[in-house]
Amino acid sequence: MSVLAPARTPASTTAPRTAVRARSNAALVGGVAALAVLAAVSLFVGVADVSLGDVLSGRADYELIAVSRIPRTLALVLAGAALATSGLIMQLLTRNVFVEPSTAGTLDFATLGLLACALFWPDAPVLVKMVLGTTFALMGTAVFLRILKVVPLKDVLIVPLVGLMLGGVIGAFATFIAYRTDLIQSLNAWTTGDFSAVIAGRFELLWIAGALVVVAGIVADRFTVAGLGEAFTTNLGLDYRRTMTIGMTVVAVTSATVVITVGALPFLGLVVPNVVRAAIGDNARRSVPWVALLGAALVLLCDLVARLVIHPFELPIATVLGIVGAVAFLILLSRRRVRG
């Protein structure tokens, strides 16, 4: 009786793969180092003068650094990584590169949930606000996906426009309610991303969003398969509905935690995944680390611009991100039209 030996991958094939993997890991380490440099720069930018020399000599205001600068930098990194990863998940599951939380109505529904909490339970704990914001975000995402199933959309560019219109309607309704109940200032705080008020004790909720980035990396292969369609996913033995539920829950919780903590950050989940996709393709397992890294770096850069452009005053980071995202969105649309 002969025993069949397992097939072996030729050394000539294994070597190039190992070299590619080594280059990819080296590039990722370089990206982490660049992000660390940006984070270090963020610590020394602000109205109060804090320099590296003061830190090394022991003359720095360490209370300012511990209470304000470090929490703000951590919040920037966590929010940027989480929202960018949420955008990647939505694009994979909807099979549309123009979809992300701000173009699908998810952020608008999360804001509406916080407004409802402010109306009916003003003194609610932060955890209750997060749960209510997450619930509304899930409802909004479900409504958006339902519209995509019911309405025959032949052009991929129409999908984000539907999401923007849905978000516009919800945003207008929330503005009307906030105006009638004297909550317009609170609504503006939730709809305009701003890290100027982030201090120790007011950003820790974002660690939940950071943990969800890790979860997304663990189940990334499921998102990649689910992005190929329900029939294909089911044929491979994967529970399509469960994967969709996991993905949308990650997006909803991330959106709610970011809106509660620092407000909405538009177009972040649109720009970053498309840049990464152009470089390394649609494999979510490979993309998640790069998307998280680039998302954090982009938010850090935009925050530095917001703090320096009219120094010593500060622009809301949502303004800078909105400009960057709008320009990138137009570039993506124009390239899509040219290829078409």
Side-chain angles (χ1 to χ4, degrees):
M1 180 181 297
S2 61
V3 179
L4 296 178
R8 296 182 179 180
T9 304
S12 58
T13 304
T14 305
R17 291 180 180 177
T18 304
V20 170
R21 190 178 297 111
R23 287 196 297 269
S24 177
N25 292 337
L28 195 59
V29 170
V32 172
L35 179 64
V37 171
L38 278 174
V41 172
S42 177
L43 294 177
F44 300 106
V45 174
V47 177
D49 292 329
V50 178
S51 66
L52 181 60
D54 292 337
V55 173
L56 296 177
S57 63
R59 296 191 305 268
D61 187 349
Y62 293 104
E63 184 178 0
L64 172 67
I65 295 174
V67 174
S68 178
R69 299 292 174 84
I70 291 178
R72 177 171 183 153
T73 301
L74 288 174
L76 288 164
V77 171
L78 292 171
L83 271 187
T85 304
S86 295
L88 174 66
I89 293 172
M90 290 198 77
Q91 290 173 15
L92 286 172
L93 297 184
T94 61
R95 291 181 287 175
N96 190 298
V97 298
F98 298 108
V99 173
E100 62 112 17
S102 65
T103 61
T106 304
L107 293 180
D108 300 280
F109 271 92
T111 303
L112 183 62
L114 297 182
L115 180 62
C117 188
L119 284 173
F120 300 106
W121 194 354
D123 299 326
V126 174
L127 184 60
V128 173
K129 294 179 180 179
M130 187 191 73
V131 170
L132 196 57
T134 300
T135 302
F136 272 72
L138 280 171
M139 290 170 51
T141 306
V143 170
F144 175 71
L145 294 176
R146 183 62 181 172
I147 292 174
L148 297 188
K149 286 185 177 181
V150 173
V151 180
L153 303 173
K154 298 181 180 180
D155 193 339
V156 70
L157 301 179
I158 301 298
V159 174
L161 297 181
V162 171
L164 288 171
M165 287 188 292
L166 176 63
V169 171
I170 298 301
F173 175 72
T175 301
F176 174 76
I177 298 298
Y179 180 77
R180 296 296 298 270
T181 55
D182 294 328
L183 289 172
I184 197 68
Q185 290 185 342
S186 298
L187 183 66
N188 289 336
W190 297 323
T191 56
T192 304
D194 186 11
F195 289 82
S196 61
V198 172
I199 59 174
R202 295 186 182 179
F203 83 100
E204 285 76 9
L205 197 64
L206 287 175
W207 286 111
I208 297 176
L212 291 177
V213 174
V214 178
V215 173
I218 294 173
V219 299
D221 289 336
R222 293 176 176 265
F223 296 146
T224 301
V225 175
L228 299 175
E230 183 174 1
F232 186 85
T233 304
T234 304
N235 288 336
L236 290 180
L238 185 65
D239 192 328
Y240 179 79
R241 293 184 179 275
R242 179 180 298 176
T243 303
M244 290 289 293
T245 300
I246 293 173
M248 292 302 104
T249 301
V250 169
V251 172
V253 174
T254 298
S255 301
T257 54
V258 172
V259 169
I260 290 172
T261 310
V262 297
L265 302 176
F267 296 116
L268 180 62
L270 171 70
V271 176
V272 175
N274 277 284
V275 172
V276 174
R277 181 179 292 105
I280 65 176
D282 289 326
N283 189 309
R285 180 174 291 276
R286 294 178 56 198
S287 299
V288 166
W290 281 107
V291 167
L293 186 65
L294 188 57
L298 179 59
V299 172
L300 280 169
L301 278 173
C302 289
D303 183 67
L304 289 173
V305 172
R307 281 192 272 179
L308 293 174
V309 67
I310 55 173
H311 187 78
F313 303 101
E314 181 177 334
L315 287 174
I317 188 176
T319 303
V320 181
L321 268 175
I323 295 173
V324 173
V327 172
F329 191 36
L330 291 175
I331 292 174
L332 292 171
L333 288 177
S334 62
R335 287 183 177 179
R336 179 80 184 184
R337 288 299 185 187
V338 169
R339 287 197 296 267

